Amino acid sequence: QVQLVESGGGLVQTGGSLRLSCAASKATFNRYLGWFRQTPGKERAFVAAIRKNDDSTYYTDSVKGRFTISRDNAKNTVHLQMNSLKSEDTGVYYCALGDAIVDSREYYYWGQGTQVTVSS
């Protein structure tokens, strides 16, 4: 079983930055590392993903140009650099391992989540 542990969440003002990290306990054959965001009463929503074989990156439209996903293969770690944060970026952020880009049902391993709160 793979365990994912997120870190780096917190409280930040509008326009600020945060860097989330997610460490996997071991390497897997899953093709994508992803980040999802969940707010109260809503489903987890795709934020960003990176394909492990070539580091191709994918973003939901609302974060393009502001967020950057990257990974450190040697450390089984994925990062999400979040800049120019907005109040609508608030939520619990989950990292995940899976075999699709956007569909959360195709992600099989999930972290425990880390809270990001952006205040105005």
Side-chain angles (χ1 to χ4, degrees):
Q1 187 75 357
V2 178
Q3 292 185 330
L4 302 176
V5 179
E6 299 107 335
S7 60
L11 174 64
V12 65
Q13 290 187 330
T14 301
S17 297
L18 282 175
R19 180 177 170 88
L20 306 183
S21 296
C22 173
S25 58
K26 61 181 181 181
T28 72
F29 291 106
N30 302 105
R31 292 189 290 163
Y32 296 93
L33 289 155
W35 287 96
F36 289 76
R37 176 174 62 221
Q38 189 168 27
T39 54
K42 294 188 177 181
E43 300 285 328
R44 289 181 189 179
F46 170 75
V47 175
I50 186 166
R51 188 162 60 195
K52 292 163 69 175
N53 68 346
D54 63 1
D55 286 342
S56 293
T57 57
Y58 308 87
Y59 301 93
T60 191
D61 285 345
S62 65
V63 308
K64 286 179 180 177
R66 300 188 298 121
F67 289 13
T68 303
I69 188 170
S70 62
R71 72 186 187 99
D72 183 335
N73 187 44
K75 297 180 180 179
N76 294 325
T77 301
V78 63
H79 306 285
L80 186 67
Q81 178 67 43
M82 305 187 294
N83 298 328
S84 302
L85 282 161
K86 305 176 180 179
S87 57
E88 52 262 43
D89 296 320
T90 293
V92 178
Y93 283 71
Y94 296 89
C95 70
L97 277 166
D99 294 317
I101 298 173
V102 175
D103 191 348
S104 63
R105 296 170 298 179
E106 298 294 328
Y107 282 80
Y108 308 114
Y109 302 102
W110 292 85
Q112 81 286 355
T114 186
Q115 176 71 45
V116 171
T117 303
V118 184
S119 66
S120 58

